[in-house]
Amino acid sequence: MIALREAPAMETAAGESVSLDYRHQPGNFCLGVALRGVTEAVGLKLSEAEVMGLGGSVCFRYGADLPKRKFHLEVCHSGVDMALFGNLGILARQRRTTDRDWAERRMMELLREGRPVAVKVNPRFCEGVMRATPEALVPLLYIHWVVVSGYDAERDTLRYHDNTRFAAYDIPREEFRLARDSGPSVQNGRNTWLELEVPRALVPLDEACLQGIRQMVVSSKYLHGGEGYKGVDAATRYARHLKSWRTTLTADEIRGNALGMMSSITLGGALKGAGRRHYAAFLEAAARTLDAPVLKEAAAPYRALAGVWTGLYARFAAMAADPADDRLWSRGSEYFALLDALAAGEKNAADTLEAALAETERGRMARPLPSTRKAPC
């Protein structure tokens, strides 16, 4: 089992300043960076790739409202937080309330207990992400996750960290109250934050890795129906629909949907390669943890997919600039070739991962259990 350290309690009176010894590392995925921060605060150091892998974050979900000519893509699912904590054996939940005052009081209580707080906010209040996001994608920013680690009573400001830089940001307390309770950030609940109840020990890391990989296989290959299309079957439908845009959509509709795809592939411009490179890095780390070289081999298709997604992002950028560019729409175009490579690549990656998981589990079953017999006197 992985032993944890207790977060130091902080004896701070109401209204006094709070400053946690919080080690922040920036990254590509705002929620992933926030999760890495709050798990490290309780003694478990994970890379951004391990957070995404243990949370089974990489996915392919596609929705098409053909009558309205709108298309939706999801490459990293939003439930990574609960999946991560569940696989590690951490009891956690997203809390939300319509009461700003209570949300603020609770945040301050957690800070005074020595716990940094991951909070969902309106990205318009966060200068780092607004500066880092390509201008064309700014209107498509809906939510952002930050970690609050301090309060300055004299200045009445909060200190928060996001995925865009090492240094912290300071924001007036009243402004932060509005940031967490305004704009698109209120979707699925106003004033939303994470709370963890830290156990004395975690699920062993090898078992957590296996569970995360199992979830990835199931979500990639065996979840169908519901809202939109999911898994590898969705990739084929996605390629077919997007090839038809030139003949079924207006120039403005093409431009709007192309920008939506750019935002989805990179989560607003920050995550390169649709997270596939991160997932490959997780599989390589899991191969070492589980002593299963076959998982390192399963990482290769995801690294190849990262290149395909990066190429598609460039084609969507060209499409947004000139929807009528004939070089995009011919049958032999690079855009069409990338869509075909995506459909085939997502299926190959899922199939390869499923086979690698099966071989890994067979190998673990074949290993002798540790002996519990005492040596003779």
Side-chain angles (χ1 to χ4, degrees):
M1 302 289 279
I2 304 171
L4 295 178
R5 62 175 170 82
E6 292 287 334
M10 302 189 67
E11 298 295 335
T12 309
E16 292 186 359
S17 296
V18 185
S19 182
L20 302 188
D21 183 15
Y22 176 77
R23 191 179 79 96
H24 174 66
Q25 294 186 70
N28 300 118
F29 180 25
C30 66
L31 178 55
V33 169
L35 293 173
R36 180 174 58 180
V38 295
T39 53
E40 182 167 329
V42 297
L44 179 61
K45 291 185 178 181
L46 298 172
S47 68
E48 186 177 12
E50 288 172 324
V51 166
M52 294 179 69
L54 289 167
S57 64
V58 172
C59 69
F60 191 104
R61 297 178 184 176
Y62 166 61
D65 189 334
L66 299 180
K68 293 183 178 180
R69 299 175 181 177
K70 291 184 177 180
F71 303 82
H72 172 74
L73 175 68
E74 188 177 356
V75 299
C76 287
H77 74 81
S78 57
V80 57
D81 50 352
M82 294 301 106
L84 171 71
F85 295 137
N87 289 339
L88 289 172
I90 297 174
L91 182 61
R93 57 177 170 168
Q94 280 194 16
R95 302 196 69 173
R96 53 183 61 92
T97 177
T98 58
D99 187 338
R100 287 186 192 177
D101 293 335
W102 187 82
E104 181 177 71
R105 286 196 303 272
R106 183 57 183 156
M107 180 179 69
M108 296 304 297
E109 288 173 2
L110 294 170
L111 289 175
R112 289 172 181 136
E113 292 172 5
R115 293 195 271 174
V117 186
V119 183
K120 185 173 71 172
V121 297
N122 182 343
R124 305 305 189 274
F125 289 82
C126 301
E127 59 177 287
V129 72
M130 294 301 291
R131 188 167 53 243
T133 302
E135 185 177 356
L137 302 185
V138 166
L140 301 174
L141 285 177
Y142 299 125
I143 63 173
H144 189 51
W145 281 89
V146 301
V147 177
V148 179
S149 68
Y151 170 65
D152 186 325
E154 182 177 347
R155 298 169 56 206
D156 198 24
T157 58
L158 290 159
R159 183 180 65 216
Y160 75 87
H161 313 257
D162 74 4
N163 62 303
T164 59
R165 72 175 191 181
F166 278 102
Y169 293 92
D170 292 323
I171 184 172
R173 182 178 56 85
E174 285 298 328
E175 192 172 320
F176 191 78
R177 282 164 60 89
L178 184 59
R180 66 188 300 177
D181 193 23
S182 68
S185 66
V186 301
Q187 65 177 339
N188 302 321
R190 299 164 58 186
N191 299 297
T192 300
W193 70 98
L194 289 176
E195 285 195 23
L196 288 65
E197 295 184 20
V198 184
R200 293 292 180 181
L202 295 172
V203 170
L205 188 56
D206 56 348
E207 292 298 333
C209 286
L210 278 174
Q211 185 60 16
I213 294 170
R214 292 185 191 110
Q215 289 170 343
M216 180 65 178
V217 169
V218 170
S219 65
S220 296
K221 298 197 63 175
Y222 301 107
L223 292 182
H224 307 285
E227 184 178 349
Y229 312 106
K230 301 176 182 178
V232 295
D233 290 347
T236 301
R237 195 183 299 262
Y238 175 80
R240 186 171 69 249
H241 283 172
L242 268 63
K243 288 179 181 180
S244 71
W245 279 6
R246 177 67 183 274
T247 58
T248 58
L249 304 183
T250 67
D252 285 343
E253 288 168 344
I254 291 174
R255 183 177 291 108
N257 279 295
L259 289 171
M261 292 298 158
M262 292 169 63
S263 182
S264 297
I265 291 170
T266 61
L267 301 186
L271 184 67
K272 308 305 179 186
R276 271 52 182 173
R277 191 171 292 111
H278 286 72
Y279 196 73
F282 161 70
L283 289 176
E284 290 165 354
R288 296 188 292 271
T289 298
L290 293 161
D291 190 20
V294 69
L295 290 176
K296 184 174 181 180
E297 297 170 12
Y302 286 98
R303 288 202 178 275
L305 274 171
V308 174
W309 280 110
T310 300
L312 273 175
Y313 179 90
R315 301 284 77 73
F316 287 129
M319 193 182 298
D322 183 7
D325 186 347
D326 289 333
R327 292 172 296 179
L328 290 168
W329 302 105
S330 64
R331 289 190 176 276
S333 70
E334 185 178 358
Y335 172 56
F336 277 35
L338 285 167
L339 287 173
D340 290 337
L342 176 68
E346 289 286 344
K347 183 178 188 308
N348 177 54
D351 289 343
T352 302
L353 183 61
E354 183 176 37
L357 173 63
E359 183 174 335
T360 299
E361 293 188 312
R362 284 195 299 270
R364 288 172 66 83
M365 291 291 291
R367 294 174 188 171
L369 294 174
S371 175
T372 58
R373 295 177 61 189
K374 294 182 179 180
C377 298

